Amino acid sequence: MAGAHTLRETERHVDERLAGMDIDFQAMAVTSNLFRAASAVRNHLERSVLAAHDLSWSAFVVLWVVWIWENIETREIAAEAGFSKATLTGVLNTLEKRGYSTRKRSKDDGRLVIVSMTAKGRKLMEQLFPLFNQQEQFVASALNSKAQPIVADGLRKITELTEPGQEN
Amino acid sequence: MAGAHTLRETERHVDERLAGMDIDFQAMAVTSNLFRAASAVRNHLERSVLAAHDLSWSAFVVLWVVWIWENIETREIAAEAGFSKATLTGVLNTLEKRGYSTRKRSKDDGRLVIVSMTAKGRKLMEQLFPLFNQQEQFVASALNSKAQPIVADGLRKITELTEPGQEN
DNA sequence: TTTAGATTGTTCGTATCCAAACAATCTAGG
DNA sequence: CCTAGATTGTTTGGATACGAACAATCTAAA
């Protein structure tokens, strides 16, 4: 975006439309900038790192979680990754088809499914994650070293406040 | 998330897996918190404000842009809202079907389509936006007044840095 | 032991989103 | 005036995401 209208132009229109309303502009700036930034960063990471390996965003997130935890129940993956278990089923099918991860039934509880990585998947992440973090570093370079922890911490607080009791 | 594992547990596993790698943890925290926060806030706003009116997130964003600009070309909506023109076509069909907005061909340029709001759409936004902003205020209340502008400004800088030259 | 209720992963139907192909329209160079 | 190329909104085909229904399994109370 930043597209056809300048920031100043947009601001003028917004102020006009909201005149007389009791609006918290500071709060509005926080949330709208949040969504713009998240979308821009996600696109950037998809193009600069994931596209070359034909990985979707969710596929990468699942790979990451499984990589970190080695053996992990699917319900935990869904919780950590932040999407529904229905979605997870599809992503895991794809990853399994490509030979990055495997599923096995839990011996302790027949309802559960445990996911783990293949050697191929591990190799992929060992190659991919440094590139990913390099781009994360580029993203964070928009902030000076004093602002970085304030932003990171602020976002964590926002998450904690707005995240529901959580279920899938 | 926040799900089955504590933050400390997760951190320990992450540190283990990344041991020996040259990773910028600060940058990692910024981006991962960014996505969690955006997702949590979007869900919160959808549930607390939009669900009652059966509005999707993108539908609301389009309504917002059209509301602010009164008469606006579709290509500008797509740019401001941050998604593809193909997606926009679908969203506009829905909004038009519900009587919130209308399309008309531009007289100056036969390729362009101008979108404007109906009285019904305007009434909806005048009722809906204060509720929306009220929840934005709740979201921003996670930050103290000193942190709020730092976070908002930091997010804007991140957007500017990572946003591509941009096309649809 | 039996059984009603809870939990888990998958399937199914549906909504959302995008890139590529397309038709309509405009622009610029001859 | 003509026309090749650019631009715009829509259509199409396919990927992604979710809620609800479902079957398998576990748990707890009788």
Side-chain angles (χ1 to χ4, degrees), chain B residues 96-163:
Chain B
E96 206 163 328
K97 209 174 300 172
R98 297 202 202 164
Y100 293 141
S101 65
T102 56
R103 276 185 269 210
K104 56 174 185 281
R105 286 241 159 246
S106 166
K107 288 165 187 169
D108 303 334
D109 187 333
R111 295 168 300 181
L112 303 183
V113 170
I114 314 288
V115 180
S116 50
M117 288 208 107
T118 64
K120 184 181 174 189
R122 228 178 327 269
K123 183 176 260 177
L124 175 69
M125 283 306 280
E126 279 161 12
Q127 173 198 352
L128 208 54
F129 187 70
L131 300 177
F132 193 85
N133 183 253
Q134 211 170 305
Q135 291 304 319
E136 289 181 314
Q137 217 167 330
F138 170 70
V139 169
S141 77
L143 314 175
N144 62 42
S145 55
K146 205 167 76 180
Q148 273 189 33
I150 300 181
V151 171
D153 192 59
L155 292 173
R156 189 180 51 71
K157 284 176 182 157
I158 288 177
T159 304
E160 283 166 4
L161 180 64
T162 55
E163 207 156 55

Side-chain angles (χ1 to χ4, degrees), chain A:
Chain A
M1 61 136 322
H5 302 113
T6 66
L7 229 81
R8 197 170 305 279
E9 248 186 313
T10 304
E11 264 173 26
R12 192 173 55 79
H13 274 255
V14 170
D15 287 351
E16 257 178 45
R17 181 74 44 220
L18 302 182
M21 290 178 148
D22 183 24
I23 297 299
D24 185 336
F25 285 88
Q26 182 85 268
M28 201 170 88
V30 170
T31 61
S32 81
N33 287 356
L34 173 62
F35 296 121
R36 288 181 190 284
S39 163
V41 170
R42 175 174 162 161
N43 284 340
H44 174 76
L45 292 173
E46 281 176 342
R47 294 181 199 192
S48 63
V49 182
L50 304 186
H53 296 267
D54 193 29
L55 280 176
S56 75
W57 181 259
S58 353
F60 178 77
V61 172
V62 170
L63 277 180
W64 161 258
V65 172
V66 175
W67 189 44
I68 291 302
W69 288 95
E70 291 271 9
N71 281 0
I72 184 170
E73 304 168 6
T74 57
R75 58 177 175 177
E76 294 177 314
I77 300 178
E80 299 270 346
F83 42 65
S84 76
K85 52 188 186 165
T87 299
L88 181 60
T89 296
V91 175
L92 284 178
N93 285 339
T94 303
L95 292 178
E96 204 163 330
K97 210 175 299 171
R98 296 203 202 163
Y100 292 142
S101 65
T102 56
R103 278 185 267 212
K104 57 174 185 280
R105 286 243 159 244
S106 165
K107 287 166 188 169
D108 303 334
D109 187 334
R111 295 168 299 180
L112 304 182
V113 170
I114 313 289
V115 180
S116 50
M117 290 207 106
T118 63
K120 183 181 175 189
R122 227 180 326 269
K123 185 177 257 174
L124 175 70
M125 283 306 279
E126 280 161 11
Q127 173 198 353
L128 208 54
F129 186 71
L131 299 177
F132 192 85
N133 183 252
Q134 211 170 305
Q135 291 304 320
E136 290 180 315
Q137 217 168 329
F138 170 70
V139 169
S141 78
L143 314 175
N144 61 41
S145 57
K146 205 167 74 181
Q148 273 188 32
I150 299 181
V151 171
D153 192 58
L155 292 173
R156 189 181 50 72
K157 283 175 182 157
I158 288 177
T159 304
E160 283 166 2
L161 180 65
T162 54
E163 207 156 54
Q166 117 259 341
E167 67 296 334
N168 295 345

